[in-house]
Amino acid sequence: MYYKPKKRLGQNFLVDKNIQKKLVQACNFAGQDTVLEIGAGTGALTSLIARQVSKIYALEIDEGLCGHLKSLLQEYSNVEIINQDILRFDFKKHFSRKKVKILGNIPYYISTPIIERLINFRQVIDTVFITVQKEFALRICAASGSKTYGSLSCFVQYYFKPRIILKIKRNSFFPPPGVDSCFLRLELKKKLPLKKSEEKLFFRIIRQAFNQRRKTLRNSLKNIIPAEKLRRFLCNFNLDAKIRPEKLTIQDFINLTKT
Ligand code: SAM
């Protein structure tokens, strides 16, 4: 079936059958798994996954595509098609008893809000597998000291252990997007290092530090961290007084928050 892709909904369909298979294989789904697919599109991945798991919820915002998905997937009794916006989807209502695995070639225009939403509902989520723009994936996985390391790396790595599983060339999609993509595995950390009450300051520090990454840590944080606290932190952890934010690891930012 030909479906005219809608640019405004990030509709770049993964048409390379070899990559479709590789991508689903890499998830290692088990027979008892429940999966939520974000943006099922034309259902190419949905039908592959349906054969491997106990239940798959195929979420799609485009009503026209949902009609197509219903007829394409009618032979699978374990597929439930939901015509909804992922940013309004209530995970707790659907997955209160069993954790769900997430998979999606997610629309690039809302990659960050989707990750934020997954974090908000992490109590009911197992592992996350998503395809994102290559540059975005590199920023997520970056280590301290690298050019791509920044507040996004710290934000995502605070909650997840991210790993690039597969690089996907732009011509694997129709229509081909302007950039290549990466398929990422985001494994949720079992225990978070900070208390809820400390997290607000931690994220504020990170935002502020990377907002002015050319400045020294001391200068960029002077409005939110008392000079004495910063001095104590640098001294206790043996860090250079002129250190720049990108040299700090996430653990350093955690230590600073706790100091
Ligand atoms: N999974 C398909 C594939 O691999 O070919 C489609 C991927 S396409 C990059 C992204 C899909 O997400 C599109 O089908 C689009 O309609 C859908 N989508 C866009 N915004 C969405 C939203 N807010 N909530 C749910 N689905 C959305």
Side-chain angles (χ1 to χ4, degrees):
M1 184 209 75
Y2 178 73
Y3 191 86
K4 189 169 184 282
K6 297 186 178 105
K7 204 172 173 189
R8 71 182 166 84
L9 291 178
Q11 291 180 350
N12 301 95
F13 301 115
L14 182 63
V15 288
D16 183 325
K17 293 212 178 311
N18 192 31
I19 299 285
Q20 290 170 3
K21 275 191 215 141
K22 275 195 182 169
L23 204 140
V24 175
Q25 261 168 15
C27 300
N28 263 327
F29 290 129
Q32 72 277 14
D33 282 343
T34 300
V35 174
L36 170 75
E37 185 185 2
I38 303 172
T42 52
L45 298 175
T46 326
S47 57
L48 291 178
I49 301 166
R51 289 173 212 153
Q52 300 187 4
V53 302
S54 128
K55 176 96 188 172
I56 172 163
Y57 294 86
L59 199 85
E60 176 51 62
I61 199 170
D62 185 328
E63 205 180 344
L65 276 178
C66 284
H68 160 76
L69 286 167
K70 273 190 187 120
S71 58
L72 178 86
L73 301 165
Q74 56 187 330
E75 65 182 283
Y76 300 100
S77 57
N78 60 342
V79 177
E80 189 170 328
I81 294 149
I82 304 177
N83 181 205
Q84 213 188 332
D85 180 346
I86 179 65
L87 301 181
R88 291 170 181 270
F89 181 72
D90 185 348
F91 287 72
K92 283 206 176 125
K93 208 169 117 193
H94 285 81
F95 312 115
S96 56
R97 269 178 283 144
K98 198 177 169 212
K99 285 196 176 184
V100 64
K101 292 190 173 169
I102 309 290
L103 175 132
N105 269 338
I106 63 174
Y108 298 147
Y109 74 106
I110 45 168
S111 297
T112 303
I114 288 178
I115 292 177
E116 282 168 356
R117 190 145 186 95
L118 296 177
I119 288 171
N120 286 342
F121 285 102
R122 64 188 182 281
Q123 283 83 1
V124 294
I125 290 175
D126 185 319
T127 312
V128 176
F129 298 94
I130 46 170
T131 306
V132 295
Q133 285 192 353
K134 186 176 159 198
E135 283 64 28
F136 189 73
L138 294 176
R139 281 167 58 209
I140 284 180
C141 298
S144 63
S146 74
K147 255 194 201 161
T148 42
Y149 181 64
S151 52
L152 179 72
S153 331
C154 294
F155 175 64
V156 176
Q157 290 177 33
Y158 177 76
Y159 294 101
F160 297 102
K161 284 186 222 152
R163 196 159 65 93
I164 293 176
I165 305 187
L166 209 68
K167 294 188 175 145
I168 311 177
K169 289 269 169 227
R170 62 195 81 183
N171 55 9
S172 303
F173 296 89
F174 178 79
V179 289
D180 293 335
S181 295
C182 284
F183 187 52
L184 277 181
R185 177 192 156 107
L186 302 178
E187 192 189 332
L188 273 162
K189 290 186 179 166
K190 297 224 160 36
K191 198 173 179 312
L192 294 180
L194 290 172
K195 293 188 202 124
K196 192 103 204 90
S197 56
E198 296 168 323
E199 284 176 353
K200 202 173 161 198
L201 177 62
F202 171 75
F203 292 119
R204 202 167 158 223
I205 290 175
I206 282 166
R207 267 196 312 271
Q208 180 75 17
F210 287 105
N211 224 350
Q212 324 206 350
R213 57 191 293 151
R214 298 220 157 266
K215 290 191 179 176
T216 63
L217 186 74
R218 201 176 244 174
N219 273 339
S220 55
L221 296 185
K222 70 171 179 245
N223 292 335
I224 59 171
I225 304 279
E228 173 48 28
K229 174 170 166 159
L230 203 59
R231 195 199 58 74
R232 211 177 334 123
F233 160 72
L234 293 169
C235 179
N236 287 352
F237 293 93
N238 238 338
L239 297 169
D240 186 335
K242 288 189 177 148
I243 196 163
R244 291 187 195 281
E246 69 260 29
K247 295 280 182 214
L248 265 71
T249 63
I250 297 183
Q251 188 57 49
D252 289 328
F253 284 115
I254 290 169
N255 295 337
L256 171 57
T257 307
K258 285 182 156 174
T259 296

